[in-house]
Amino acid sequence: MQVGKAAHSMSKHDYLTRNGKYQFISNGVEREDLIFQESNNIPSWAEDAKDFWNESDLNDTNIKSRPFREIKLALPNELTEQENIELMKQYCNTHFANHPYTLVIHSKAATLSPSETNIHAHIMFSEREIDRNRKEPSREEYFKRSSIKKDGTFSGGYKKNRIWVQKETLLSLRKEWEEIINQAYKDKNINKEISSDTIKKQYEKAIESGQLEKAELLKRPAQERIDVSTIYKNKDKIVTFKKYVDNGYYDEAKLILELESDPALKEKLAVMKYTAILKDIQHRKQQEQSLPKEIKVRISKLDIIKEINTKQQELLHQIKTLEVEYNKFKHVSYTKESMLDSIINTRTKGEYRKKLNKIHAIKEKQSLAFKQYQEYKAAGMTKEANVKFEKSAMLTRELQTHTQVVNKIREPYLQDKYQELAKSLAKEYESKQVQRYNHLQQLRKEYEVYNKMKYRIIKSKPVTSNKQSSGPNARPIAVGESKHTMVINKSASIANRLNKFSRLLSKLSPSNGKDILSSNMRFMDDTKKKPRERKNNGIEI
């Protein structure tokens, strides 16, 4: 809730209702985010709400006066626009039945998350409470101080209700809004809940009630309010940070976090990172809980191989993605100096890098000019040699000037705190690259293990026993560490199975006209293969 400034009532009304100069945004495009507006309890002497708020500007001119108040409410995305409109009508009829007010609802794409809708409401109202026991004040009297004459008659306008000055009123409004939204969720069978309590209070309640998972989500710093101009100014930076966090590049995200000077924005980025990590952990826990304790399914060879191929495809995708990421930073020098340059470049919004590139370009030109000077001199072309010498000297002076500028930019960052930060970042980045390499090697080994599995499955012969070779009592074949089991059908020949398998591989994982098995056989070490063991009528791989 905000207090309106004197002489700003009509301009605020025009802004909310998208009238006049506020009908268009800065680039000349018409605003289309207004989906509903309504004004109630406007005095009869006013032509419309705009006339009423204009009269307020003309009369309520004291700089300490409170011509209006504005309440902003975030509306639930889970409800339709019409449902949100009805919700706001109900809210205003409850709390502003005796106050002149203008209700406006806007809906637009969220600034930092264009895929999400930012639907919200503004309630602009006067603190003057309508007294039904007296005659409505005229235009001339309405905005004057309210008083009672000796004869008991009223003079001036309606009296301002002091309840709106109290902080408890705002807290009460928030609590009631929480109850309204939660009831709307309940009516629509939406398993969600909001709270008007502070993060700290919600955490304490969750601990008291034994909701440990909920408490873990609430164990984070409260988000400070960020100025709108800060959001727009740093929009690209926040989007980049969010992209890094969503893709798990926490080192890159940390660099943005460390170098951000605005404390409120830095707090927001920290909360975003913490929330993303918790969300990922929760998702993994849900996946683990959804799996049964034991999965034992009797399937054929081809089904097992098909499953292995699917896992190999996933591994190939992970390997390719990781290789791109690894090669991207393969030739990067993770030194304290290079990290310090990155810090300076970030702090100077790219100007430092431009200066360095300029110096590099001048060096190349100077080197070329000096080389040409030597060539001309050796060839006896004195005039041309003098021209190139002058050019080389001029570029040398220009190089010295730019170098002095760069050194001046670097000077404030040669303090110990920046040196320590650069050293720490260099160490972390280098460690991250080593982890990428080790992970890549691990994935490649895992891929080769699957190749060996397939090879052994294909080479295994069908069971020749009388009774247990097929049917529900057949002995299963354990594949590696998989919990799956399979039954080899006695009636199907190895030749048919291999033909089907080849056709399947050609569809699932073609590789230059050859299937994955044949194209990766060279990676196998036959000397290390374990011999097949026969037990009764089954074959264990």
Side-chain angles (χ1 to χ4, degrees):
M1 180 161 60
Q2 294 178 330
V3 181
K5 296 179 181 179
H8 282 73
S9 303
M10 194 175 72
S11 61
K12 170 61 74 171
H13 177 269
D14 283 349
Y15 172 74
L16 295 179
T17 57
R18 304 308 193 221
N19 279 321
K21 66 179 182 179
Y22 301 108
Q23 186 177 355
F24 302 91
I25 53 181
S26 57
N27 58 3
V29 178
E30 188 172 359
R31 296 176 186 267
E32 296 180 350
D33 56 343
L34 176 65
I35 62 172
F36 180 78
Q37 63 170 310
E38 180 182 73
S39 296
N40 284 322
N41 304 324
I42 303 300
S44 57
W45 49 260
E47 295 180 5
D48 51 25
K50 186 174 182 178
D51 182 25
F52 170 74
W53 294 116
N54 181 46
E55 196 68 31
S56 173
D57 282 343
L58 296 175
N59 291 275
D60 231 341
T61 55
N62 192 319
I63 194 170
K64 294 183 179 180
S65 65
R66 304 184 303 276
F68 69 92
R69 282 182 182 265
E70 180 190 4
I71 292 179
K72 301 176 185 178
L73 305 94
L75 298 176
N77 276 299
E78 293 81 7
L79 303 185
T80 64
E81 287 186 357
Q82 190 57 41
E83 286 171 337
N84 275 314
I85 290 171
E86 294 301 323
L87 207 65
M88 285 309 305
K89 284 184 176 180
Q90 171 194 340
Y91 189 76
C92 289
N93 288 336
T94 302
H95 298 287
F96 305 99
N98 294 321
H99 293 272
Y101 72 86
T102 296
L103 166 65
V104 169
I105 299 178
H106 296 153
S107 180
K108 59 181 181 179
T111 305
L112 301 178
S113 303
S115 59
E116 298 176 6
T117 303
N118 174 18
I119 181 169
H120 58 279
H122 299 260
I123 304 172
M124 178 184 180
F125 69 98
S126 171
E127 290 182 14
R128 298 181 186 276
E129 188 171 15
I130 298 172
D131 187 351
R132 307 291 180 184
N133 297 320
R134 60 168 289 191
K135 183 181 177 182
E136 181 184 84
S138 63
R139 182 187 289 265
E140 291 74 19
E141 294 288 325
Y142 196 94
F143 296 98
K144 291 182 179 179
R145 184 184 294 275
S146 176
S147 61
I148 303 177
K149 296 180 180 179
K150 291 182 180 180
D151 58 0
T153 58
F154 292 93
S155 66
Y158 292 130
K159 191 175 181 180
K160 289 186 178 182
N161 193 334
R162 298 287 298 174
I163 193 174
W164 298 106
V165 181
Q166 301 169 11
K167 184 179 180 180
E168 289 73 17
T169 303
L170 177 59
L171 298 179
S172 175
L173 287 172
R174 284 179 178 168
K175 187 65 180 175
E176 289 182 29
W177 184 240
E178 168 200 321
E179 293 169 357
I180 290 172
I181 296 297
N182 289 335
Q183 185 60 44
Y185 283 156
K186 191 175 180 181
D187 294 342
K188 292 202 72 175
N189 295 320
I190 297 173
N191 188 24
K192 284 188 178 181
E193 191 179 69
I194 65 168
S195 175
S196 59
D197 293 331
T198 62
I199 293 291
K200 184 179 179 181
K201 195 171 181 181
Q202 290 180 57
Y203 174 75
E204 291 171 354
K205 284 183 178 179
I207 292 293
E208 289 174 5
S209 60
Q211 297 174 304
L212 299 181
E213 287 190 9
K214 184 177 180 182
E216 186 65 25
L217 285 171
L218 295 168
K219 193 178 179 181
R220 59 179 176 82
Q223 173 61 53
E224 295 182 18
R225 184 182 179 277
I226 302 180
D227 187 68
V228 177
S229 61
T230 304
I231 290 285
Y232 282 106
K233 180 179 166 184
N234 297 276
K235 179 180 176 182
D236 293 337
K237 187 178 293 184
I238 297 175
V239 170
T240 305
F241 178 89
K242 190 175 181 182
K243 185 178 178 182
Y244 281 148
V245 170
D246 290 344
N247 290 311
Y249 300 152
Y250 296 120
D251 289 335
E252 290 80 355
K254 185 180 178 182
L255 181 60
I256 296 178
L257 194 66
E258 291 290 344
L259 301 181
E260 182 48 55
S261 56
D262 189 308
L265 182 57
K266 185 174 181 179
E267 191 68 31
K268 179 176 180 63
L269 298 179
V271 171
M272 284 170 62
K273 176 179 177 181
Y274 185 82
T275 307
I277 295 172
L278 281 180
K279 187 178 178 182
D280 181 53
I281 292 172
Q282 270 197 329
H283 178 66
R284 290 180 187 177
K285 283 183 178 179
Q286 289 174 358
Q287 282 185 328
E288 290 174 5
Q289 291 170 0
S290 65
L291 291 174
K293 292 182 180 179
E294 290 187 11
I295 306 175
K296 291 185 178 180
V297 185
R298 297 188 175 194
I299 51 179
S300 67
K301 270 189 175 184
L302 289 179
D303 292 330
I304 279 288
I305 291 172
K306 183 176 180 180
E307 183 181 347
I308 290 175
N309 281 333
T310 303
K311 291 181 179 179
Q312 280 191 311
Q313 288 296 317
E314 293 174 0
L315 277 173
L316 280 174
H317 178 70
Q318 291 180 34
I319 289 170
K320 187 176 180 181
T321 305
L322 196 57
E323 279 179 343
V324 171
E325 191 63 28
Y326 174 73
N327 291 329
K328 182 179 178 182
F329 300 100
K330 189 174 182 179
H331 304 292
V332 176
S333 176
Y334 296 111
T335 62
K336 185 176 74 174
E337 288 72 21
S338 62
M339 290 298 104
L340 185 62
D341 285 348
S342 298
I343 292 171
I344 299 171
N345 188 57
T346 306
R347 280 295 186 95
T348 57
K349 298 181 180 179
E351 287 299 319
Y352 180 70
R353 188 75 66 199
K354 290 179 182 177
K355 296 290 184 184
L356 290 180
N357 291 338
K358 182 72 174 176
I359 288 175
H360 182 69
I362 294 173
K363 278 184 178 179
E364 288 185 348
K365 290 180 182 178
Q366 193 271 343
S367 177
L368 178 63
F370 188 74
K371 184 179 179 181
Q372 290 175 340
Y373 156 72
Q374 290 179 325
E375 290 175 353
Y376 286 141
K377 186 177 180 181
M381 302 169 68
T382 309
K383 186 176 180 181
E384 289 81 356
N386 290 337
V387 171
K388 291 300 177 182
F389 180 80
E390 288 295 331
K391 185 177 180 180
S392 176
M394 181 190 68
L395 289 170
T396 302
R397 290 191 295 273
E398 188 177 350
L399 185 62
Q400 290 174 349
T401 303
H402 281 81
T403 303
Q404 289 174 0
V405 172
V406 167
N407 290 336
K408 193 173 182 180
I409 295 174
R410 282 178 60 91
E411 190 174 351
Y413 298 96
L414 297 178
Q415 303 171 27
D416 290 342
K417 63 175 183 178
Y418 292 110
Q419 296 287 342
E420 287 299 319
L421 175 60
K423 186 178 178 181
S424 173
L425 287 174
K427 189 175 180 181
E428 289 183 22
Y429 274 46
E430 189 173 2
S431 174
K432 182 71 173 179
Q433 189 68 344
V434 171
Q435 289 176 11
R436 287 194 186 107
Y437 177 78
N438 292 337
H439 189 199
L440 191 58
Q441 294 297 96
Q442 183 183 352
L443 291 178
R444 285 170 177 164
K445 287 179 181 178
E446 190 176 346
Y447 184 85
E448 290 180 19
V449 169
Y450 279 120
N451 275 334
K452 293 178 182 180
M453 277 188 195
K454 288 195 296 187
Y455 179 75
R456 291 172 184 175
I457 292 169
I458 296 167
K459 290 295 182 181
S460 64
K461 295 179 181 179
V463 178
T464 57
S465 157
N466 294 337
K467 297 180 180 179
Q468 295 184 354
S469 58
S470 62
N473 297 320
R475 182 176 180 81
I477 294 182
V479 181
E481 297 178 355
S482 174
K483 293 181 181 179
H484 299 293
T485 61
M486 66 182 178
V487 174
I488 302 178
N489 190 346
K490 177 183 176 182
S491 60
S493 67
I494 283 290
N496 290 336
R497 289 172 181 276
L498 289 177
N499 289 335
K500 289 181 181 179
F501 171 62
S502 298
R503 289 196 297 271
L504 180 64
L505 282 182
S506 64
K507 291 180 182 178
L508 289 177
S509 50
S511 176
N512 298 325
K514 299 178 182 180
D515 56 66
I516 283 186
L517 179 63
S518 60
S519 63
N520 286 280
M521 286 294 289
R522 63 180 180 276
F523 294 114
M524 294 180 57
D525 185 358
D526 294 331
T527 60
K528 295 182 181 180
K529 289 191 297 182
K530 295 180 181 180
R532 293 191 294 275
E533 297 178 3
R534 295 183 180 273
K535 291 185 180 180
N536 296 332
N537 297 318
I539 301 174
E540 184 172 332
I541 306 299

